[in-house]
Amino acid sequence: MKLLIAIIFMCSFFSSVVIAKKGHVGVMYYKHIFGNVHQNPSRYSSALTTISCGHPVKIYSIKMGNWVKVKVGAQNGYLPMSFLSTKRPKCFQDKYPRFFDKFALGPTDLYYWGRLYDQYVIGKSRVQ
């Protein structure tokens, strides 16, 4: 009986180790035109990389309120959960690529577009 309990304990331990190594919970898509993956779960923290609408993001865990830990390419960081969608969104740059390419945005422009979305407060006003 003790041997059976020990075997069950060992199997459950090794299966939890395998699950912990896999890590990611799922894949979601970024839904705003541009955004930044942050180093910490704060909109004021350093940006690690910039992503655009429809970019797939691996979700690892929910952290600190509505922020989630994500992996984009080789970067591990944080994004607000409200900026992610379970389905691929319809993006402006995908719908009108020739018009969008006329802007010829560089890396600095993309970064500041992402910073703009970090600073927006999205929601309903309670002012009457």
Side-chain angles (χ1 to χ4, degrees), residues 23-103:
H24 79 278
V25 176
V27 175
M28 295 182 85
Y29 300 92
Y30 192 76
K31 66 181 182 181
H32 293 297
I33 194 162
F34 294 109
N36 295 318
V37 177
H38 293 275
Q39 185 176 10
N40 298 314
S42 168
R43 64 183 181 170
Y44 303 112
S45 70
S46 300
L48 300 174
T49 189
T50 301
I51 58 176
S52 63
C53 182
H55 197 285
V57 175
K58 285 185 181 178
I59 306 298
Y60 281 92
S61 66
I62 295 175
K63 295 280 188 186
M64 298 185 73
N66 71 336
W67 289 82
V68 290
K69 187 169 184 168
V70 299
K71 183 171 185 176
V72 177
Q75 301 291 331
N76 290 319
Y78 296 89
L79 279 172
M81 187 67 178
S82 60
F83 288 10
L84 300 173
S85 173
T86 55
K87 295 180 182 176
R88 186 170 172 84
K90 294 181 181 178
C91 302
F92 178 79
Q93 57 262 50
D94 293 339
K95 192 170 182 179
Y96 305 104
R98 289 176 47 191
F99 175 75
F100 192 77
D101 290 341
K102 296 285 184 188
F103 290 119

